[in-house]
Amino acid sequence: MKTIGITGIIGSGKSTVCHIFEHLGIPVYYSDGHAKQAYLNPQVLERVQQVFGTAVAGADGRLDMARLADIVFADKQKLQQLNSIVHPWVKEDFLAWKQRQNAPYILFESAIIFECGFEDWFDEIIVVNTPEKEIVERVKARSHISQAEIQRRLDNQQIIRRHIPEVRFVIDNAEQTMVLPQILAIDKIIRDELRNHRTSYIHIGI
């Protein structure tokens, strides 16, 4: 079973692309959703509270996830500390999830594959690429975060764009671009290669 990472900047449309792959029978591990489950693990919870203290404790004694996000997105060192606690749990959970799948290949969805050095986990990586202007408009429409916060998150994830030349599959998700034909082309290439035990180099999208 081939393991493929799929990434893109916030608002790039990763989730929409992943849902299409799921309709093609490809299982997707949504890392953000699973990572939230990590905070229910007593060992993870205890470690987070040790590192971040009462600043992230809610009135009910549980983690205040909004407060924790504010802290780590404003301080890269603290974000690295949090990642060092959560990511080992996510990797173990992903590997256990993978063992339960039955498909020619699987996808691991995450915005921080390159930022956290996860690229070695995968046989291939797919980047969903969208013009920044369109990303800002999408994020504004779906959330209540400020323009400054959107820009800060975009700046933190620019490493994805720097890796585009190295990636074999890039899906162009600009507003006037058809995404489905690109996904179908990638799916066919991967399935054909698995059947024929060969790899060809092709850039889908841009």
Side-chain angles (χ1 to χ4, degrees):
M1 185 188 299
K2 204 165 190 175
T3 304
I4 298 175
I6 182 164
T7 191
I9 292 173
I10 179 176
S12 61
K14 294 187 304 300
S15 295
T16 299
V17 170
C18 286
H19 292 329
I20 296 173
F21 273 107
E22 286 180 305
H23 281 295
L24 297 176
I26 302 304
V28 180
Y29 181 94
Y30 294 93
S31 63
D32 281 353
H34 285 271
K36 290 176 183 176
Q37 298 300 310
Y39 297 106
L40 301 178
N41 179 283
Q43 293 178 329
V44 172
L45 181 60
E46 181 181 1
R47 183 64 182 139
V48 170
Q49 290 175 332
Q50 286 175 348
V51 172
F52 294 94
T54 58
V56 296
D60 57 0
R62 298 181 181 181
L63 282 179
D64 184 335
M65 297 302 296
R67 176 60 181 149
L68 182 61
D70 287 342
I71 292 171
V72 299
F73 281 117
D75 187 327
K76 287 189 176 182
Q77 184 175 359
K78 291 188 181 299
L79 178 59
Q80 290 174 352
Q81 287 180 301
L82 181 63
N83 288 342
S84 70
I85 298 169
V86 176
H87 289 167
W89 185 94
V90 171
K91 185 172 185 179
E92 288 186 16
D93 185 67
F94 169 61
L95 293 175
W97 174 89
K98 179 180 177 180
Q99 293 300 315
R100 300 192 295 271
Q101 307 312 311
N102 181 22
Y105 63 96
I106 57 175
L107 296 179
F108 178 103
E109 182 270 338
S110 174
I112 57 174
I113 286 176
F114 294 115
E115 183 179 346
C116 294
F118 289 169
E119 55 264 40
D120 292 339
W121 292 13
F122 310 110
D123 301 300
E124 300 276 3
I125 294 177
I126 298 170
V127 171
V128 181
N129 190 53
T130 305
E132 189 165 306
K133 181 179 178 181
E134 292 182 24
I135 286 176
V136 171
E137 291 172 355
R138 290 178 188 178
V139 176
K140 277 184 176 180
R142 77 184 190 194
S143 68
H144 300 293
I145 60 178
S146 66
Q147 174 78 34
E149 177 61 20
I150 294 172
Q151 193 59 53
R152 184 168 53 145
R153 295 189 185 188
L154 288 174
D155 292 343
N156 285 339
Q157 296 177 7
Q158 287 303 320
I159 188 173
I160 295 173
R161 295 197 191 279
R162 295 199 295 270
H163 280 273
I164 284 178
E166 307 163 12
V167 174
R168 190 159 68 119
F169 298 123
V170 180
I171 295 175
D172 181 5
N173 194 24
E175 188 173 334
Q176 301 299 323
T177 304
M178 297 290 290
V179 170
L180 180 58
Q182 300 177 66
I183 295 172
L184 292 175
I186 291 172
D187 179 70
K188 183 177 186 304
I189 289 168
I190 295 171
R191 290 176 188 268
D192 286 348
E193 290 178 353
L194 289 169
R195 280 193 294 267
N196 300 323
H197 304 288
R198 63 180 175 81
T199 299
S200 59
Y201 190 91
I202 185 169
H203 225 58
I204 299 295
I206 63 171

